[in-house]
């Protein structure tokens, strides 16, 4: 058991190192990364599409990278905003990692990009454990998912620096209890801001963009308690609530690396995921995914496919 724990810690430490390097590089060039996490179908693509369009209207240089196991549907939707968009197909991997993100940005991200929105794989388990070098971590939940979502996924919500509720236009129809949801969020992440939005009605429009711009301008970022608490089974960074680490500080959004058992890769699989995969998660024989740093420019790893989506011109392969 100790050897398993040590291996997980080593994998996550490697990711943290890559995240620190990526954060330092992007901060130096004036780019703020926003990591968006949610369950599938939460409405984050619809919300992001509106925020990207608004950013373009305001003249804010912005880009988006969206990750899915399959299809380029989300990238095609986001490209309608007219901003640079890239689709990453993870080929079954349930989350993005910092080195992987860095490789996909290399040679693609415009130099003047002020904000980069990363739409992580739809999943509230695996992505919660991986720092991507972001400056703002946002967790979204729709009113259809239930008020107890924060309690069911305490790591994802507990490490969020902003919580966004989506689809509020149907809140009454599904009998969403806003007070209960807010109470549950505060239970796992005291002090975090909760924002209500409806992409259909325009409620909360621009709030996500404004918060991201404020972070890029050096504004105070919420420091989750979970990210500061020492815990035997959590990989964590200790940081005071109002501590400003500066550009060379390797923390970034605090993240909890508490992984459950039952992650089964088949023979020949080199990539140690963090956890949270349930017992049915299995990769077949020979699955090899090296997501560590040191890969040359333009190399995206053997198991992933990437597409750059250009407005008005469709999807162009970048491999």
């Amino acid at each position: 058991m100790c050897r398993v724990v040590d291996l997980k810690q080593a994998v996550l430490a490697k990711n943290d190192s890559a995240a620190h390097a990526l954060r330092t590089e992007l901060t130096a060039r004036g780019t703020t990364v926003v990591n968006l996490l949610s369950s599938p179908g939460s409405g984050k693509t619809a919300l992001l599409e509106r925020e990207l369009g608004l950013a373009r209207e305001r003249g804010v240089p912005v880009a988006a990278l969206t990750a899915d196991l399959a299809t380029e549907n989300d990238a095609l939707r986001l490209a309608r905003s007219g901003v640079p968009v890239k689709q990453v197909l993870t080929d079954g991997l349930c989350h993005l990692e910092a080195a992987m993100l860095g490789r996909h940005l290399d040679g693609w991200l415009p130099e003047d990009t002020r904000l980069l929105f990363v739409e992580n794989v739809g999943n509230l388990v695996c992505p919660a454990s991986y720092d991507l070098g972001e400056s703002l971590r946002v967790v979204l939940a729709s009113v259809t998912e239930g008020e107890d979502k924060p309690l069911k996924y305490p790591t994802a919500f507990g490490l969020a620096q902003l919580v966004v509720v989506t689809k509020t236009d149907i809140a009454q129809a599904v009998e969403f209890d806003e007070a209960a949801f807010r109470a549950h969020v505060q239970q796992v992440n005291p002090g975090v801001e909760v924002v209500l939005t409806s992409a259909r009605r325009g409620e909360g429009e621009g709030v996500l963009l404004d918060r991201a711009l404020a972070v890029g301008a050096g504004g105070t970022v919420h420091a989750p308690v979970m990210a500061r608490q020492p815990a035997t089974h959590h990989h964590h960074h200790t940081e005071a609530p109002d501590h400003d680490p500066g550009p060379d500080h390797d923390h970034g959004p605090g993240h909890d690396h508490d992984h459950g058992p039952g992650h089964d890769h088949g023979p020949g699989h080199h990539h140690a995921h963090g956890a949270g995969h349930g017992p049915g998660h299995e990769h077949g024989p020979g699955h090899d995914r090296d997501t560590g740093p040191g890969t040359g420019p333009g190399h995206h790893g053997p198991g992933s496919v990437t597409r750059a989506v250009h407005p008005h011109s469709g999807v162009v392969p970048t491999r």
Side-chain angles (χ1 to χ4, degrees):
M1 179 60 70
C2 290
R3 295 181 62 186
V4 173
V5 171
D6 288 345
L7 175 60
K8 290 175 181 176
Q9 290 178 341
V11 169
L12 293 166
K14 183 177 181 180
N15 181 80
D16 287 348
S17 177
H20 167 55
L22 184 59
R23 181 180 295 107
T24 300
E25 175 188 348
L26 293 176
T27 299
R29 59 187 273 182
T31 301
T32 299
V33 179
V34 181
N35 185 8
L36 304 176
L37 292 80
S38 79
S39 300
S42 68
K44 66 178 177 293
T45 305
L47 177 64
L48 182 54
E49 184 178 1
R50 292 185 69 99
E51 297 296 298
L52 294 177
L54 185 59
R56 190 183 184 199
E57 290 175 11
R58 293 184 183 179
V60 178
V62 64
L65 180 145
T66 181
D68 280 301
L69 276 66
T71 83
E72 296 163 349
N73 296 346
D74 287 353
L76 291 172
R77 285 181 60 187
L78 295 177
R80 295 185 303 200
S81 65
V83 309
V85 175
K86 173 179 271 193
Q87 176 77 60
V88 173
L89 302 182
T90 65
D91 190 30
L93 189 64
C94 61
H95 61 277
L96 289 173
E97 297 179 10
M100 183 192 309
L101 176 61
R103 288 197 299 272
H104 287 303
L105 297 181
D106 187 24
W108 168 75
L109 187 68
E111 286 294 330
D112 66 341
T113 302
R114 188 171 173 189
L115 294 179
L116 171 65
F117 288 95
V118 178
E119 185 179 12
N120 219 314
V121 179
N123 184 345
L124 283 177
V125 182
C126 315
S129 296
Y130 288 84
D131 181 2
L132 298 183
E134 69 263 26
S135 296
L136 180 65
R137 177 176 289 209
V138 182
V139 173
L140 302 90
S142 73
V143 298
T144 62
E145 296 179 65
E147 298 80 6
D148 61 347
K149 202 76 170 185
L151 303 181
K152 289 182 175 179
Y153 299 92
T155 299
F157 284 89
L159 295 172
Q161 294 168 307
L162 178 66
V163 174
V164 174
V165 179
T166 61
K167 305 184 183 181
T168 56
D169 52 291
I170 59 172
Q172 185 175 359
V174 299
E175 299 182 344
F176 177 68
D177 188 337
E178 180 187 339
F181 180 84
R182 288 180 178 274
H184 293 153
V185 169
Q186 295 305 313
Q187 186 175 333
V188 299
N189 193 348
V192 69
E193 182 183 11
V194 178
V195 175
L196 303 181
T197 66
S198 168
R200 179 175 297 177
R201 292 183 178 173
E203 180 182 1
E205 183 177 89
V207 173
L208 179 58
L209 177 60
D210 290 342
R211 297 297 184 272
L213 289 171
V215 171
T220 301
V221 183
H222 172 68
V225 173
M226 185 180 291
R228 308 192 304 265
Q229 287 179 336
T232 304
H233 303 292
H234 301 321
H235 180 83
H236 66 279
H237 298 301
T238 302
E239 184 174 326
D242 297 319
H243 175 60
D244 182 6
D248 293 327
H249 190 73
D250 64 351
H251 294 345
H255 44 282
D256 179 337
H257 299 314
D258 182 8
H259 311 304
H263 185 78
D264 183 4
H265 293 301
H269 184 85
H270 292 181
H271 180 75
H273 300 300
H277 305 294
H281 187 85
E282 180 175 347
H283 295 293
H287 184 83
D288 182 336
R289 183 182 307 283
D290 179 38
T291 57
T295 309
H299 183 83
H300 303 298
S304 62
V305 178
T306 180
R307 299 286 189 272
V309 179
H310 303 276
H312 315 303
S313 63
V315 180
V316 180
T318 58
R319 282 174 63 176

